[in-house]
Amino acid sequence: MIHGILYSYVKQKVNQQNFAARALPGKGLNLMSSPATSPKLHHQLAVIIAKIVTVIILLGLLGTAADASAAELKAPLTIDYLALTAALKTQIYTGPGGRAEFWQGDNSCQYLVGENPRLGRDPHGALALTTDATLALGLPIAGQCISPVTWSGLVKLDAAAYVAGLTLRLRITDINLYNLNGSKSLLVGHGFDLIKGNIIPKLETFSFDLHEPIRNLESLFDEALPPNAASNLHSALATLRLEPQVIAETDGLRVTLAMVLPPAAAPITVSGPAAPLTPAEITAWQTELDNWDAFLVFAIEQVGLTLPNQQVRDQLFNLLMDSRYRLVQALMSPQAAGGPDPIRLLFLYDWTQLRSIIKAAAPTRAFGNRTLQFLSFISAGDALFAFDQAAPALGVRISANDLRRLARIMAPQVTADPLNFTFREDPSLQQLFGIPQPLAMPGPLPEGDTIPPAGLAPSPALSPAPASTSLLSLPTFLLKLPEAFALENPPAPPQLIALGRTLTPVVVDSGNVSHYQTDLNQLLTLTAKGADGVGKLNSPDGHLFLLMVKSVAWQESCWRQFIRLGSRVTYLESSTGDIGLMQVNKHVWRGFYSLPHLEWDIVYNASAGSDILERLMQSQVNRQASNLPGTAEAIARSTYSAYNGGPAAWDRWRMAAEPSALKQIDDTFWDKFRVTASGQSFNILQCAACWTRLH
């Protein structure tokens, strides 16, 4: 009974053309697709088609035999002017420099060319097409063009869009010429006739075809749908047609799609909670997470390297970091039976962010001749997004092949597998986000996961460790660096290398803790100075940065790079893949840094961690300059929260409702920061024992 009521209700709403685009931001339901004459662009259907399909599937899955007759569904569809213009360029404006060659006379001095077309609605509510144009009617004399007629200006055409099957075409109804200053052109006679007689027929060859997008939509969902839902999809799409009426809206051309729904099928019974995942299922699930991360990196690189815009790149960096911190959380707990699918949640969040970045950049023409590729990519992803939102109970998963199809839409020229997953450094990723190469020790790295232990070598001339005092004697708020803790003149990088050799591969124990702590303190001091021996320490935030490096290393690893595993030594690694002294997570920073160096090179690990801190701290300083109170406490605490939880965690320590586990992490860091600021040392061995229990 309930299924029958739902079927009737949804059918009524659909026939009233009143189902809402609740899954996607923005006004209305938009389609961005590519022209049928450009197969390399992998034409894709927009979100509205996907919503229609999901309604079909819901009707087919939730309906009952009591209402088994076929029904026609009609729904509005808006084809964005930006997509139409991009398709027009792809079909007609194909000459050098993106020009349309409308006419070529008897010699090179006679031509009519157009460029920069734009489609939109005029003030009277009609469809208008405007193009820049240049007409030359000249004669070649002595190697030069003598032109009795040369005209450059704007050609404004009134147009009417009409439907031919599943294709949208244009009919030009009027033409007017304007000079570059916007005044009506006085060009008449032969020149006007040439423009009218060549531009109009050429532009009327333009078509916007939906046949190929529909085929691609079918293939996009074939792997994700249950068999009976896929059958409903194919049956319904076979009846798809466009209604004759086309309306010029503010943001695009509005048409009406119609298709016949299949008879309602018996409802599918959703199974109960699944059994715990087997080891093989966990491995497959982790592979799905890797596939999504590889896909997101591919998409981010395509967008970021195409757009030389620092603001966009900052947005992409934050998107990638937040996604990867969520990915680490997902890796900690494979999908519980009956619980939410973390891969689906990653897709929903990341896609929303990526979509908004691309959508905002597309109207600026920043993508150049790749605009249509990126718009088609958005359309196909929107279809998957909409499908998930309309029918989440079906448990649809986005397959690896779906992700590959999306990637090919965005970058058909790339032949490499977009889902290739590796922990190797990615120069494109490093270049895109300006990630510097960390300092590193010379020489080969150990091979394998463990090596024989080594004793603590004699250390270079270093300052003594600060005397220890009781934490109880500290003031409740201490940020200002004492004069006694002021930095010495910056040493040369070779001292840092010498310290790295002294501390590799040393495991701190009761026999070497005093020398070890002294050496590690100096290594962190030199690391904070960077390759030039100065780094941020010559800036107003320099003392704060030094405190951050030391207190974060304490919080993350208890100042340790190596631990003992039986009779051998290995690098410190947490259960979530945090590596070494600064606990640089191998999943979060995949591609940015060398994993073997993070594991075995203490100088590299310290340098990478301090580079990350420097980037985050500078971002927080910039944020506070425009939004927040600029206190040293806010800089330190927000920087660490982002280091620990990603850019989305900047202000979590300020939240009254911060989860208790995260509050403990943030409060513990703050305690350690204040101890470090006072010039005190800490008990490494006691800290290490506690770290082992927690990790």
Side-chain angles (χ1 to χ4, degrees):
M1 178 66 178
I2 293 176
H3 291 149
I5 294 173
L6 177 61
Y7 182 92
S8 300
Y9 174 77
V10 174
K11 184 168 67 175
Q12 177 188 11
K13 290 299 182 183
V14 168
N15 287 334
Q16 293 174 350
Q17 300 182 1
N18 193 34
F19 65 97
R22 60 186 175 82
L24 293 172
K27 180 181 178 182
L29 302 169
N30 294 321
L31 170 63
M32 294 179 185
S33 181
S34 51
T37 57
S38 182
K40 292 183 179 179
L41 293 177
H42 296 259
H43 323 304
Q44 290 296 325
L45 200 59
V47 60
I48 179 62
I49 298 286
K51 285 188 169 297
I52 294 172
V53 172
T54 55
V55 171
I56 293 168
I57 295 165
L58 285 174
L59 293 175
L61 294 177
L62 300 179
T64 66
D67 190 1
S69 61
E72 186 174 67
L73 178 150
K74 294 183 180 181
L77 163 66
T78 300
I79 306 175
D80 195 289
Y81 289 131
L82 188 62
L84 285 166
T85 300
L88 181 65
K89 289 180 179 179
T90 303
Q91 293 185 42
I92 296 175
Y93 289 72
T94 57
R99 293 194 301 269
E101 298 176 346
F102 291 117
W103 173 74
Q104 180 64 56
D106 296 332
N107 57 68
S108 60
C109 298
Q110 298 178 356
Y111 55 85
L112 171 62
V113 296
E115 56 187 335
N116 190 26
R118 48 265 192 208
L119 276 161
R121 189 174 72 167
D122 69 16
H124 305 292
L127 178 63
L129 195 166
T130 304
T131 181
D132 300 346
T134 299
L135 171 67
L137 297 174
L139 294 173
I141 298 176
Q144 295 184 339
C145 288
I146 306 300
S147 301
V149 177
T150 301
W151 176 85
S152 292
L154 304 178
V155 179
K156 293 189 176 181
L157 304 109
D158 295 337
Y162 65 96
V163 169
L166 281 176
T167 301
L168 202 62
R169 304 182 69 93
L170 298 179
R171 181 182 296 111
I172 306 301
T173 59
D174 196 10
I175 182 170
N176 289 282
L177 308 184
Y178 294 84
N179 295 322
L180 293 176
N181 60 11
S183 62
K184 197 75 175 284
S185 175
L186 299 179
L187 182 67
V188 294
H190 183 54
F192 180 83
D193 291 340
L194 272 173
I195 293 175
K196 179 179 179 180
N198 288 280
I199 286 185
I200 291 177
K202 185 73 170 179
L203 292 176
E204 287 186 338
T205 65
F206 169 69
S207 64
F208 197 87
D209 196 334
L210 298 183
H211 286 92
E212 185 65 19
I214 292 168
R215 286 193 290 271
N216 282 333
L217 181 67
E218 290 182 275
S219 66
L220 194 65
F221 286 122
D222 264 348
E223 295 185 20
L225 295 177
N228 60 338
S231 176
N232 284 351
L233 166 69
H234 294 298
S235 298
L237 288 181
T239 69
L240 185 67
R241 61 186 175 83
L242 285 175
E243 296 276 278
Q245 187 179 30
V246 183
I247 301 173
E249 300 281 5
T250 302
D251 54 351
L253 294 179
R254 182 176 181 180
V255 296
T256 300
L257 285 161
M259 66 175 72
V260 177
L261 302 179
I268 289 180
T269 303
V270 180
S271 60
L277 298 181
T278 66
E281 288 172 331
I282 291 175
T283 298
W285 177 81
Q286 290 172 336
T287 299
E288 290 185 53
L289 284 176
D290 292 344
N291 286 340
W292 173 252
D293 185 56
F295 167 79
L296 185 61
V297 168
F298 181 89
I300 284 174
E301 288 184 350
Q302 292 298 317
V303 175
L305 294 174
T306 304
L307 295 179
N309 181 298
Q310 189 57 49
Q311 182 180 0
V312 170
R313 291 184 177 186
D314 290 343
Q315 293 172 341
L316 292 170
F317 179 79
N318 289 340
L319 165 60
L320 180 59
M321 290 296 101
D322 283 336
S323 175
R324 286 185 166 181
Y325 275 93
R326 287 180 171 84
L327 183 146
V328 170
Q329 292 300 313
L331 286 170
M332 292 174 61
S333 52
Q335 182 183 2
D341 178 7
I343 299 173
R344 172 179 171 266
L345 297 180
L346 276 173
F347 168 73
L348 296 181
Y349 177 84
D350 295 345
W351 181 258
T352 301
Q353 304 303 310
L354 184 61
R355 179 189 192 277
S356 66
I357 293 171
I358 296 176
K359 193 76 162 80
T364 68
R365 298 183 174 87
F367 290 118
N369 60 6
R370 296 189 63 190
T371 298
L372 197 52
Q373 292 175 6
F374 285 104
L375 293 180
S376 298
F377 168 76
I378 286 294
S379 296
D382 281 352
L384 290 172
F385 191 107
F387 180 83
D388 175 274
Q389 294 296 283
L394 296 180
V396 173
R397 282 182 180 264
I398 299 170
S399 70
N401 284 336
D402 288 333
L403 295 179
R404 287 188 176 94
R405 289 189 187 100
L406 284 176
R408 299 298 184 213
I409 295 165
M410 173 183 276
Q413 74 280 5
V414 177
T415 58
D417 184 3
L419 303 191
N420 180 42
F421 184 91
T422 173
F423 281 103
R424 290 193 298 270
E425 291 175 90
D426 183 344
S428 295
L429 206 58
Q430 293 170 331
Q431 172 195 343
L432 177 59
F433 296 121
I435 301 298
Q437 286 293 318
L439 302 175
M441 292 172 59
L445 296 170
E447 297 181 1
D449 294 331
T450 63
I451 56 174
L456 192 66
S459 61
L462 303 172
S463 57
S468 176
T469 59
S470 170
L471 178 59
L472 298 178
S473 65
L474 285 174
T476 55
F477 178 77
L478 177 58
L479 266 171
K480 186 176 180 181
L481 191 67
E483 291 298 323
F485 204 72
L487 297 171
E488 301 176 355
N489 292 329
Q495 275 192 273
L496 185 58
I497 302 302
L499 281 164
R501 287 174 173 156
T502 297
L503 292 164
T504 302
V506 173
V507 177
V508 61
D509 57 32
S510 57
N512 63 19
V513 64
S514 178
H515 288 299
Y516 181 94
Q517 193 154 1
T518 299
D519 292 348
L520 220 300
N521 180 68
Q522 187 69 352
L523 180 137
L524 293 171
T525 299
L526 297 178
T527 300
K529 295 179 179 181
D532 59 2
V534 178
K536 285 190 66 67
L537 302 186
N538 66 342
S539 71
D541 303 311
H543 293 322
L544 182 60
F545 180 61
L546 175 63
L547 294 177
M548 286 297 299
V549 171
K550 292 187 176 183
S551 53
V552 167
W554 176 6
Q555 169 86 346
E556 294 295 310
S557 69
C558 303
W559 282 16
R560 296 173 302 150
Q561 176 74 20
F562 303 107
I563 59 172
R564 196 177 300 277
L565 188 64
S567 61
R568 299 177 73 80
V569 169
T570 190
Y571 47 85
L572 184 68
E573 181 174 6
S574 74
S575 59
T576 54
D578 306 293
I579 305 292
L581 179 65
M582 300 300 289
Q583 290 288 274
V584 179
N585 190 276
K586 66 183 182 182
H587 301 288
V588 171
W589 295 99
R590 182 180 73 85
F592 290 103
Y593 298 113
S594 161
L595 184 56
H597 275 88
L598 286 174
E599 294 167 344
W600 292 109
D601 186 343
I602 190 171
V603 171
Y604 185 96
N605 192 290
S607 181
S610 67
D611 286 344
I612 295 168
L613 277 174
E614 182 176 354
R615 185 186 189 105
L616 293 173
M617 193 172 86
Q618 187 58 58
S619 295
Q620 178 60 16
V621 169
N622 295 340
R623 290 175 76 244
Q624 292 191 166
S626 57
N627 299 316
L628 302 167
T631 66
E633 177 185 10
I635 293 173
R637 300 197 72 172
S638 291
T639 297
Y640 178 72
S641 292
Y643 189 91
N644 176 261
W650 280 116
D651 298 314
R652 73 182 187 192
W653 63 276
R654 302 174 188 268
M655 297 164 46
E658 182 183 16
S660 58
L662 297 178
K663 178 174 174 55
Q664 183 178 6
I665 291 172
D666 288 333
D667 289 348
T668 301
F669 164 76
W670 184 234
D671 289 340
K672 291 173 180 175
F673 181 91
R674 291 187 296 165
V675 170
T676 303
S678 73
Q680 296 183 87
S681 62
F682 69 98
N683 189 320
I684 289 184
L685 298 180
Q686 187 178 56
C687 178
C690 181
W691 191 99
T692 301
R693 288 195 302 272
L694 292 175
H695 295 80

